[in-house]
Amino acid sequence: MTENPILHVLVVGFHHKKGCQVEYAYPPFIEDTTGVSAECPAAWKHLPYLALPDGSHNFDEDTAYFHLPSQQDPNETIYGISCYRQIPLEKIINRTPDMTRSTIQKSVCVLSTLPLYGHIQVKMSLITHAYFEEGDFSKISLLHDTYHHLNACLSSIDNISTSPHLFVGLSAVELVTRFRHKVLLLFKLMLLENKVLFFYSPVRPLCSTILTLLSLHPGLIENGLNKSANINPSNATQDSTENKNEVIVSNITPETEDNDHSIVSQKSNEVVDEDIVPNNTFVSNIPRDPSIDSLDEAAMQYNMIGIAQINSEDCGVPMSIFDNGNLCQPYSCLSYMDILTDPSVRGYVIGASNILFKQKKNLADVIVEIDEGKVEIENIELKRHLHLTTEDLRFADYLVRHVVQPEKEDVFLDGVGWEGGDEWIRAQFKAYLLSLLRTSLLSEGAPELNHFNPAFISAWQQTKNYQIWLNQEHQAIMALEPCHPFAGQLSVADMKLRISHTMQSSRSGRKLNQAVQNTSRAVASTGKVVGGAISQARGAVTNWWSNLTTTQDLEDEKNTPVIQDV
């Protein structure tokens, strides 16, 4: 039982002289002589601007999710869910002298100790609508009822991890559909603890995109955000190496560089027995089906289901990504920027709708443009770390095909839900992460490390979250075979997949794609003058290009010649 998970119900409004401000709080933040104090605590000074998003005047309604540090426990985060609405002044029955504009902008916001974003938002959206329909903001009884009703509903939750409401409104299917193969790149990016900015407007889909991505990491939303809003400025002057956990794995030096211009030569899939974990008494009892070498679809599904059904908590998961000065803020207002630039902040994942975030120099290592599904990485070294290997592309392609082009018949798989659905997608990423963790424990130079990109693994092993995991109990993960679940011999289909991914992801590839499209339009118009010969030639070129850049189904690979040591 969770006692009173809802801490406060607030009304945040925009004042034409004072800007955003908390107009009412129940219960009050601080008891005073009137019993009603809406003045924000110092640690929550950004709350009004987080609850009433930048540019909100451009929309009639919106929703913002944000994080605040707990007032009582430095190891806890408070989750804000704010429902914004804008209505014409003429609909207000009880007007006040400060209502000087033609529209009224306010948000009804709750502060919760449980990260049930979408579930609370659904309820708050109805309540906000009713509050505005009254046309009289002095009627606060509805806010009191909301506080008591939500606490009555949520206090019965014993274990948030098993709550059916945990991922309401967080569609993994939409995320994969939008970012396609790059969703795996974003998944791995979270592990590196960089400064990542997601940009979009309105705010609700912005926040939902970030939280959906986090939900792909097993246990992260329900148990991994406890320190996502907490910083300790007093640590800014301390030695950056202080309090680091000792790394007991040696750094991995990539033997071959897997870049955009070549495909890494595949080495033997032989399992390396020389694990670095001392006193290893575990023996792998989930062997990888050897038929995976032919990339058989049924074998892949079998292997992924087996891995996904392992208890991730016994493997030391969730990863402590948002800890030690690495922040997560689904929505960030402009005033929050002073926190982001604090010396004690090492990295963050933030969402913003104000273009000034993109224009701020050195604010982000990576900018994710949600509307275009584009990931901008300027740092060459980081690009190398996030390069997707052939095995990674196989996994990503497997996801995309099952989500974007689902089978005609619905298939329900025990433990992972409907094939191609949200639960299934999260199960696939859980299996990927556990396989990645297990393989990362191999000795330096093990060929299996190449399957996940040795440059990525080496960078990841230096992060706080990996070091914390390494020193926690995770022996259950030794039951896994140390290799990529999509390891196998190279084929022509892999080459086509690599070319397709490069054409869609790299700047030069996008330019070439655009050039081909422009040429096709020019040839089409010219063909009307010179006859059908050019049209036939254009058709041949189009077919060749389509075959080259279209991903081939893995089912067809058994009929494709195998290429050794490309």
Side-chain angles (χ1 to χ4, degrees):
M1 300 285 290
T2 304
E3 184 177 357
N4 288 342
I6 301 300
L7 302 181
H8 301 278
V9 178
L10 319 170
V11 175
V12 178
F14 179 81
H15 191 277
H16 64 289
K17 291 182 179 180
K18 301 177 182 179
C20 299
Q21 60 181 6
V22 176
E23 298 177 342
Y24 183 78
Y26 182 82
F29 292 136
I30 303 172
E31 292 288 348
D32 59 10
T33 55
T34 65
V36 182
S37 173
E39 184 177 352
C40 291
W44 292 358
K45 65 179 182 179
H46 300 288
L47 192 162
Y49 300 93
L50 292 168
L52 204 60
D54 295 330
S56 56
H57 60 278
N58 294 319
F59 305 97
D60 290 334
E61 57 183 273
D62 203 354
T63 298
Y65 301 140
F66 57 90
H67 297 160
L68 296 171
S70 171
Q71 297 289 321
Q72 285 75 36
D73 189 345
N75 294 321
E76 293 295 332
T77 291
I78 304 304
Y79 307 95
I81 299 93
S82 177
C83 292
Y84 160 82
R85 285 208 62 188
Q86 177 177 231
I87 62 172
L89 179 62
E90 56 264 25
K91 289 188 177 182
I92 304 300
I93 298 173
N94 186 9
R95 302 182 187 180
T96 57
D98 61 340
M99 294 181 178
T100 60
R101 297 192 173 191
S102 58
T103 59
I104 303 300
Q105 302 163 15
K106 294 183 188 293
S107 289
V108 179
C109 173
V110 298
L111 302 182
S112 169
T113 60
L114 298 177
L116 295 174
Y117 306 92
H119 178 59
I120 295 176
Q121 188 276 334
V122 170
K123 296 179 179 293
M124 289 304 301
S125 179
L126 297 174
I127 293 167
T128 302
H129 178 79
Y131 184 60
F132 273 74
E133 284 298 308
E134 287 279 350
D136 186 353
F137 296 120
S138 65
K139 294 184 176 181
I140 56 177
S141 60
L142 179 61
L143 305 178
H144 296 191
D145 294 341
T146 298
Y147 172 81
H148 295 295
H149 171 72
L150 286 178
N151 274 317
C153 293
L154 301 181
S155 60
S156 61
I157 297 176
D158 293 322
N159 185 357
I160 189 175
S161 299
T162 59
S163 172
H165 309 305
L166 181 60
F167 298 133
V168 171
L170 306 183
S171 174
V173 169
E174 291 183 10
L175 185 72
V176 172
T177 302
R178 180 178 293 272
F179 288 99
R180 301 179 73 88
H181 297 74
K182 283 176 282 190
V183 71
L184 179 56
L185 183 150
L186 293 174
F187 178 86
K188 297 177 76 170
L189 173 63
M190 296 298 101
L191 294 170
L192 295 182
E193 302 178 357
N194 292 105
K195 297 179 178 180
V196 183
L197 167 66
F198 286 77
F199 187 81
Y200 192 75
S201 185
V203 170
R204 183 180 177 184
L206 167 70
C207 298
S208 297
T209 297
I210 294 174
L211 294 173
T212 303
L213 176 62
L214 300 188
S215 76
L216 301 183
H217 285 266
L220 188 58
I221 284 188
E222 52 268 48
N223 296 311
L225 296 177
N226 293 335
K227 300 180 182 179
S228 63
N230 299 342
I231 64 170
N232 188 359
S234 63
N235 288 337
T237 58
Q238 294 182 5
D239 189 340
S240 61
T241 61
E242 185 175 343
N243 296 326
K244 283 189 176 180
N245 295 305
E246 181 182 1
V247 182
I248 61 173
V249 289
S250 56
N251 295 339
I252 299 172
T253 302
E255 296 185 6
T256 56
E257 183 173 345
D258 188 3
N259 52 45
D260 282 339
H261 306 291
S262 63
I263 299 178
V264 167
S265 299
Q266 302 300 299
K267 299 183 180 180
S268 167
N269 285 324
E270 178 183 354
V271 177
V272 175
D273 294 326
E274 300 173 350
D275 297 325
I276 58 165
V277 179
N279 301 322
N280 175 18
T281 59
F282 279 77
V283 178
S284 174
N285 57 18
I286 306 182
R288 189 169 63 89
D289 191 327
S291 63
I292 195 72
D293 292 333
S294 62
L295 298 181
D296 178 76
E297 186 89 354
M300 283 189 295
Q301 187 71 274
Y302 169 81
N303 291 326
M304 296 296 281
I305 290 176
I307 301 172
Q309 290 181 338
I310 294 178
N311 188 331
S312 57
E313 291 183 2
D314 294 338
C315 299
V317 172
M319 304 298 292
S320 301
I321 296 175
F322 299 107
D323 196 351
N324 296 290
N326 191 41
L327 308 180
C328 177
Q329 189 62 279
Y331 170 69
S332 299
C333 57
L334 199 58
S335 66
Y336 196 79
M337 203 176 288
D338 64 338
I339 290 181
L340 300 178
T341 54
D342 189 285
S344 64
V345 174
R346 299 182 299 108
Y348 41 74
V349 174
I350 61 171
S353 59
N354 193 314
I355 197 171
L356 293 178
F357 276 87
K358 290 203 302 180
Q359 296 173 346
K360 176 73 172 178
K361 189 176 181 181
N362 299 324
L363 185 69
D365 301 316
V366 180
I367 298 178
V368 182
E369 298 275 6
I370 294 178
D371 58 339
E372 302 176 21
K374 186 169 63 175
V375 182
E376 299 179 359
I377 308 172
E378 294 298 330
N379 185 280
I380 296 178
E381 188 69 10
L382 183 56
K383 283 184 179 180
R384 191 168 70 90
H385 295 162
L386 291 172
H387 175 70
L388 298 182
T389 65
T390 297
E391 290 78 11
D392 281 345
L393 287 178
R394 289 173 184 163
F395 169 71
D397 187 58
Y398 173 78
L399 285 174
V400 172
R401 286 188 294 105
H402 282 76
V403 173
V404 179
Q405 300 174 344
E407 299 293 333
K408 293 181 180 179
E409 296 183 4
D410 287 338
V411 178
F412 185 84
L413 304 169
D414 288 340
V416 297
W418 294 104
E419 188 174 18
D422 289 342
E423 187 180 356
W424 179 88
I425 294 171
R426 292 186 176 100
Q428 309 312 302
F429 276 100
K430 173 184 174 181
Y432 180 92
L433 178 62
L434 295 184
S435 297
L436 172 61
L437 285 165
R438 176 63 184 92
T439 306
S440 72
L441 294 174
L442 293 177
S443 302
E444 180 179 358
E448 289 78 10
L449 297 172
N450 291 324
H451 300 161
F452 290 101
N453 183 353
F456 167 79
I457 292 181
S458 181
W460 180 36
Q461 288 177 334
Q462 309 309 311
T463 63
K464 291 278 190 178
N465 72 82
Y466 188 86
Q467 295 174 28
I468 291 172
W469 175 81
L470 202 58
N471 287 279
Q472 290 178 339
E473 180 63 35
H474 55 259
Q475 287 291 311
I477 205 166
M478 302 308 294
L480 289 177
E481 198 77 16
C483 65
H484 199 297
F486 283 74
Q489 293 176 318
L490 279 171
S491 69
V492 170
D494 290 320
M495 297 178 65
K496 294 173 66 176
L497 186 58
R498 168 67 64 195
I499 294 173
S500 175
H501 175 70
T502 302
M503 296 304 296
Q504 296 170 20
S505 303
S506 67
R507 187 174 301 174
S508 57
R510 289 194 294 268
K511 288 182 179 179
L512 183 54
N513 261 328
Q514 186 62 47
V516 169
Q517 294 174 9
N518 293 340
T519 302
S520 297
R521 286 194 291 267
V523 171
S525 59
T526 306
K528 297 178 181 179
V529 179
V530 300
I534 291 181
S535 296
Q536 292 177 2
R538 179 176 60 85
V541 170
T542 301
N543 289 337
W544 170 82
W545 182 259
S546 177
N547 290 334
L548 184 65
T549 58
T550 301
T551 302
Q552 179 177 337
D553 288 344
L554 291 180
E555 293 91 334
D556 298 334
E557 290 194 12
K558 54 188 175 183
N559 300 320
T560 305
V562 174
I563 298 177
Q564 299 283 359
D565 297 330
V566 174

